[in-house]
Every structure is written in structure tokens, then in C-alpha cells.
Amino acid sequence: MSITTMSLAKALNAGLRRSMEDDEKVVVMGEDVGTLGGVFRITDGLKKDFGDDRVIDTPLAESGIVGTAVGLAMRGYRPVVEIQFDGFVYPAYDQIVCQVAKLHFRSQGRIRIPMVIRIPFGGGIGAVEHHSESPEAQFVHTPGLKVVACSNPADAYAMIQQAIRSDDPVVFLEPKRLYHSTKADVDTDADPAPLWQSRVVRPGSDATLVAYGPTVSTCLDAAPVAAEEGRSLEVIDLRTLSPLDLVPVIESVRRTGRLVVVHEAHLTLGLGAEIAARVTEECFHALEAPVLRVGGYDTPYPPARIEEAWLPDLDRVLDAVDRTFGF
Amino acid sequence: MTDPVFGPAPAQDTDPELVQLLTPEGERVHHPTFDLDFSADQVRAFYRDMVLVRRLDIEATALQRHGELGLWAQLLGQEAAQIGAGRALRPQDFVFPTYREHGVAWCRGVDPVRLLALFRGVDQGSWDPAEHNFGLYTIVIGAQTLHATGYAMGVQRDGAVGTGDPDRDTAVVAHFGDGASSQGDVNEAFVFAASYNAPVVFFCQNNQWAISEPFERQSRIPLYRRAQGFGFPGVRVDGNDVLATYAVTRAALQRARDGQGPTLIEAYTYRMGAHTTTDDPTRYRLTDDVERWKLKDPIARVEAYLRRNGLADDGFVEQVAADADELGERMRRECHALPDPSLHDVFDAVHAEQTAELAAQQASYDAHVASFEEVTA
């Protein structure tokens, strides 16, 4: 056992380093990932240790970054692409949706694209426009992509390595608000849970909260507050958004009869909508209340001075919990 | 036009400076940079390739007209550009095509029936790119130029550039057209290739038309001159001259393999047919134009050269025509015999590692199909 206390950023850095040591075909590429170590320092020190053939500072063109990564993958490399901020992924949208996602399908499996597209996502850091978005539903809606989101340092360390080992393209969402604010013990020798599994992170019996990425910690904060009011909340961290692993969610809702889904992404057609549909189908007779959703409002992400009012926070989560008991 | 402050605007595209080794009349001319000696066998082989590829194209067009293909993108008129570019490759080189590179596919040993399967709607490309070093057809205009550049970056990392070993040093070709030259991806590919000095040759077939839009809509300057702005050389070659196209491509490929970086080749040619079988060019271009380009036919000039110099006789020409007939007959026969795919199988092709969700959808589809079988049984 080798336990180190790490921030989420440091855990990602350690996971990337471990992947690069394990497999010489792993290359990291993106804007400012080399000498600077990335604007969030996730790739700090990698260029020094692995050289600029494997840690590639790219021209500032996201379609170019993802498109050239496709070619590298076809040549046998495992590119790990950093999109600097969530809102900058859209110039690469065509390459991701039409090429990365479809090449395996188009070629009947002759072409594999073992690419990881890392995207720092979500708000709460006081940033300017285009730096606080949650675009995950667009990628979950795209067949051929897999999408995961980490919420804590131990998962970050393990999941980035698992995503890199995957022979399928993975959109890897990192809750940027938690990069440096969350520290936890990471056992770098531990056997990680399978990447494509959700996990109960706090057991409870009265209502189920489902979250991923940055809102997992919001839900974990909500649970003790609800406990003071005599309500036992079970919190589930989805971890994998595509494929969606709802097995623990369905099992939980059959016990609790109540479900609240929490994400920062816009409410309409967000992950919550899909989860509500599937849970309703699977748990119809167990439900005591309709599935409720707490998400970002259906406006563009607001200016930073009012973002805390826009983001799902403790009060909005607790309010939804109250409402689910009101039916 | 000269601006009093900024000076003259670059010249518009009035007088193309073409590299040419064979005139439209079939006269062998020489070029100070790109001249090559061609053996009679080599020129006869070019002729045969072009005749067969033209036949392939005509046959596929006819199959579409008979309802056997959903669509076909014709290469008519571009045979020299594609055969010249395709035959200049070494086995280890890798090609990223658009959806019209049937002639290059031919040179890479891809069975024409595989192309028919794609346009018939049987699959989306069933050749093995790694076996032929020929990527899948790419429909989104210009997207593959980035893939080519990234592949070339991988070649660099493999140490397969500039070693001097002719069997190891590798070049990559990105095909695209005049319409694609306006795409962001193509311009980003130029930037990345220049920045990393990647061993990639950008081969643009300027066939003058992007569906209905003339070349002037895409560029105010000759395309090959754009390369200079990105920091690498560009050259315009007579794309209807197979000898010149071969010579220029060969030089650019060797430059890439030697580690000297990217080159842009503009093969100046003409789309004699429609954009695809759904298009009607009489709505937007003049018959006069087409007639003028007919005089520059890529095959006629090689036949004239061969005959004038006593390098081919009626027997050779008739044999090639018979080979073309045989190819056409085989394409028709094997196209009709192509089996329809099964929707059951497509679920398995989405991921390398299947997901529980998709497996469940597949099972649900199978059950749906089976429910009809029970009714009819």
C-alpha cells in the first residue's frame, strides 16, 4: 500500500505520469501542456521527464488538436488530448462527433481510436464566458463515444489511467472547481473499481441523490444536513455517463422510492432527463414521488458575479429533497 | 489593382504556371526541375491504369443509373492526377483519401467492388486501411487532412523519416479538393504540418468546381501559392498530365521522407462529370468549358504519345480495352451479388469494448425481429 495525500489536480498528474511510464505510446497534447504544464498544471513536469515528442504543445486550434490525434491513434499511439476549457471544445466538435466517434464503426472495428479527450468542466471559479460550461450531454448523445467524470482524487488517479488503457475514445471530464480545493488520500497501489461502474458514496435509506463531477461534493454536503432533519440520503456518484451504469441507482430507488438527480448542466435534455426516464421505466411501482432534477437553468452560463445563484447549491438540493417528500 | 497604402493585391488566377511533361497533343516536353526519364513500360502502365480506372468510373455511374448504387462520385477527367499521385507512392506510404479517389484506391490495390459496396449502402468502407495503407473515404470535406498530418507526426515519432533507408522512410498523402481548401481543418492541417515539419504531402485536385461553385468562390489566388503563407512550398502541376503529376508527387514524397517537411501540390484538372450522380452541372456551367477541357483529355494525350513514338500498337490498345471490358463485367456481377448487411451486426461495431446498454438494445432488436418470425411461422 502506498498512500499519498493529493489534490485532484495532482492525482491526475500522477495518473498521467504513471500511464506514460507504463506505455510509451501514450502521448499528451494540447495548448500549453508542455513547458507551462497546462493552465491548471495538470501536465506539470511531464515534458521535462518525457520530452516534447510525448508532451506536445500544439498550435491553438482545437479541431487541429483532435484531428491530428486521430492520425496519431491510427499510427498506433494513444493520444491524451487536453481541451483547455469546456467552452473551447466546440471548434473540435466535428472531429469528435464525425470522426473520433465513428471511425471504429465506419471501419467495422479495423480502426481503433484509443484517445482520451480531457475537458476541465463546470463552473464556480469566477471565470469569464466559455470557461464554466458542462457540455457532457452532447457527447453522451453521440454513439461511439464513452464519457466519464471524476469527482475525487482517488478516482481521478485511477480513472485517467483506465481511460487511457481503453481502446475506445473517452471524453474525460474533470471538475475544475475541485482541482486544487479537494485533497484526499490516494492509494497508488490499490486495485481500482471498474471504470464503467457507478458507486454508492454514502449509503442512506430515505431518498437517493445521483450526481457526478462537481455536484457529488454538493450532495455529500447535503446528506448530513438532511440527516439533522431525520432524512437519510443515499448519494451515488455516477462516474460513467456513457455507458450509463444505473444498476446501483435502480437498486437504491427500489429501496428509497425517491430520486433527485443533480448536475450543473442545463436542465433540459440533460443527463437528469435520461436518468428520470430510465428509472421511471425500471422502478415505476417503487417510486413514491416523481424523479426530480436540479440543474443549471436553461440560460447561457451567467457572468461570474451571479454564478453561485445559477449553480445547483446545497439549498437547491435540499429544496428538491423536501419536494420529493411532499408527494 | 494597387492600394496607395498597402500596395498591389496578389494577381488573380489568370495564367496558371503548370508543370507539364506531356502536352495535350501528346508531345513530350521538358521541365527544368521535375523532368524524369520514363520507360515505355512505365508509360504503357500509366495508360492501362487510366483506361481501367475510367472504365471503373463509367461502370459505377451506370450501376447507379440502374438503381444498384445509391450514389456515385465520378472521377471522370481526373484519371491522370490520381494515377500519377498513386503510382508515385512507395508501399510504406499512407494515403488519406476524400470520397473520389477511386484511382488512388486502384493504385493501392483496393478492389473496386469495395468502393461499390460503400456507394451501394452495404457498408461505410470495408477495406482494411492498414493492409492497403489507404484510409477510409472521408465525406466531411477536409477532415482527413488533419488525420494525415497526425499520422505523419506519428511517423516522425517512429523514427521513420530521414534515415536514408528507402524501405523505412515514410510519407503521408492528404487528398482534398478545391472546395475543401476553404475549410478550417485544411488550414489547421497546414499550420500543424508546418509547425512540426511533418512528412505529409497535401495533394489538392483543383477540378474547378465544388458542386456548383466555381474555383473563384474559394480563392482569389492560385491555390498552390497559399502554401507559402504557411511556410512550405507549393507547386501547380498539370493534373491532366500523368507524367508531370507522377514526377511532382514523387519529388514531394521524397522530400517528406527525407525529413524536409510538407509540400502542397495543386493538380490543375477538371471535373468532366457531375459532382455526383445526383448533380446536374448543366444548371451552372457552360458546355463550351467542358468542350475546351475535352481537348486536354488525360488519356488521349498518352495514347497519342505512345502511338507517335511507336511505343504502342493497335494490339496493345485493344488488349487494354478488353481488360477494361472484363473489369466492367466483373464489377457488375459482383455488385449484384453483394449481400445486404444485418442490423444485428451494427451494434457490435460501435465500440472496441461493447457496453451493456448497447448489448441490451441489440437483444431488444433481435426480440423485435423474432416476434415477426413467430407470427409468420
Side-chain angles (χ1 to χ4, degrees), chain A residues 20-198:
Chain A
M20 296 188 78
E21 287 165 354
D22 289 349
D23 184 349
E24 62 177 17
K25 292 294 188 185
V26 175
V27 294
V28 167
M29 57 195 295
E31 297 161 3
D32 305 300
V33 299
T35 308
L36 180 66
V39 294
F40 290 108
R41 307 294 183 266
I42 307 301
T43 56
D44 188 34
L46 297 180
K47 179 183 162 185
K48 180 170 68 70
D49 294 335
F50 296 100
D52 54 10
D53 258 8
R54 295 188 62 197
V55 183
I56 308 169
D57 270 329
T58 63
L60 268 64
E62 286 77 10
S63 189
I65 297 168
V66 174
T68 53
V70 167
L72 278 159
M74 288 181 66
R75 182 72 189 182
Y77 287 84
R78 300 183 94 82
V80 183
V81 165
E82 176 173 306
I83 299 294
Q84 199 161 68
F85 283 90
D86 33 59
F88 302 163
V89 74
Y90 300 111
Y93 192 67
D94 170 69
Q95 282 288 344
I96 295 173
V97 169
C98 294
Q99 307 299 331
V100 173
K102 289 181 177 162
L103 271 161
H104 187 278
F105 184 78
R106 186 182 302 151
S107 67
Q108 292 116 61
R110 293 184 183 92
I111 297 174
R112 289 185 170 185
I113 306 292
M115 182 191 304
V116 174
I117 301 173
R118 295 182 36 240
I119 307 178
F121 85 124
I125 63 161
V128 294
E129 203 183 359
H130 313 300
H131 288 63
S132 307
E133 313 216 333
S134 299
E136 59 270 21
Q138 321 213 28
F139 301 115
V140 173
H141 197 62
T142 302
L145 297 178
K146 292 179 175 174
V147 184
V148 300
C150 59
S151 69
N152 62 75
D155 271 0
Y157 176 76
M159 288 168 70
I160 188 67
Q161 295 178 64
Q162 292 169 313
I164 291 168
R165 274 198 299 273
S166 167
D167 284 333
D168 290 308
V170 178
V171 174
F172 192 93
L173 299 163
E174 303 169 0
K176 68 167 88 75
R177 167 153 50 107
L178 305 181
Y179 270 150
H180 303 287
S181 65
T182 311
K183 285 196 172 147
D185 288 345
V186 176
D187 181 355
T188 53
D189 291 338
D191 247 359
L195 182 57
W196 316 116
Q197 281 186 9
S198 302

Side-chain angles (χ1 to χ4, degrees), chain A residues 53 56-59 61 63-64 67-68 71-72 75 77 95 99 104-108 110 146 168 196 243-244 278, chain B residues 124-126 128 136 140 143 146-147 150-151 154-155 157-158 185 188 192 196 346 349-353 355 357:
Chain A
D53 258 8
I56 308 169
D57 270 329
T58 63
S63 189
T68 53
L72 278 159
R75 182 72 189 182
Y77 287 84
Q95 282 288 344
Q99 307 299 331
H104 187 278
F105 184 78
R106 186 182 302 151
S107 67
Q108 292 116 61
R110 293 184 183 92
K146 292 179 175 174
D168 290 308
W196 316 116
L244 257 181
R278 292 203 206 176
Chain B
Q124 294 166 340
S126 54
D128 184 351
L136 294 185
V140 176
L146 283 169
H147 307 166
Y151 191 95
V155 167
R157 279 157 184 76
D158 292 342
D185 276 4
E188 291 184 20
F192 277 64
Y196 299 120
V346 307
V350 181
H351 301 290
E353 184 192 345
T355 66
E357 285 176 319

Side-chain angles (χ1 to χ4, degrees), chain B residues 143-287:
Chain B
Q144 74 284 356
T145 58
L146 283 169
H147 307 166
T149 303
Y151 191 95
M153 290 163 62
V155 167
Q156 289 177 304
R157 279 157 184 76
D158 292 342
V161 179
T163 69
D165 178 350
D167 296 324
R168 176 168 174 78
D169 290 344
T170 301
V172 184
V173 182
H175 282 275
F176 63 106
D178 45 297
S181 72
S182 298
Q183 284 281 1
D185 276 4
V186 173
N187 288 274
E188 291 184 20
F190 288 175
V191 169
F192 277 64
S195 180
Y196 299 120
N197 208 39
V200 58
V201 174
F202 294 105
F203 192 93
C204 177
Q205 289 167 73
N206 178 357
N207 68 11
Q208 314 299 324
W209 292 96
I211 306 188
S212 69
E213 297 193 357
F215 174 62
E216 294 73 40
R217 183 64 64 224
Q218 316 296 338
S219 183
R220 282 179 65 97
I221 61 164
L223 266 185
Y224 75 96
R225 280 198 212 144
R226 284 205 188 160
Q228 202 169 33
F230 290 91
F232 54 88
V235 58
R236 181 180 263 183
V237 62
D238 181 351
N240 284 19
D241 174 355
V242 69
L243 303 187
T245 307
Y246 175 87
V248 167
T249 309
R250 200 175 91 134
L253 288 168
Q254 195 52 46
R255 190 172 173 275
R257 292 186 206 108
D258 288 345
Q260 294 175 54
T263 308
L264 170 61
I265 298 173
E266 178 188 4
Y268 201 76
T269 180
Y270 194 83
R271 197 193 74 209
M272 295 300 287
H275 163 67
T276 66
T277 43
T278 60
D279 180 31
D280 174 10
T282 63
R283 291 176 69 93
Y284 53 80
R285 71 183 185 188
L286 298 170
T287 316

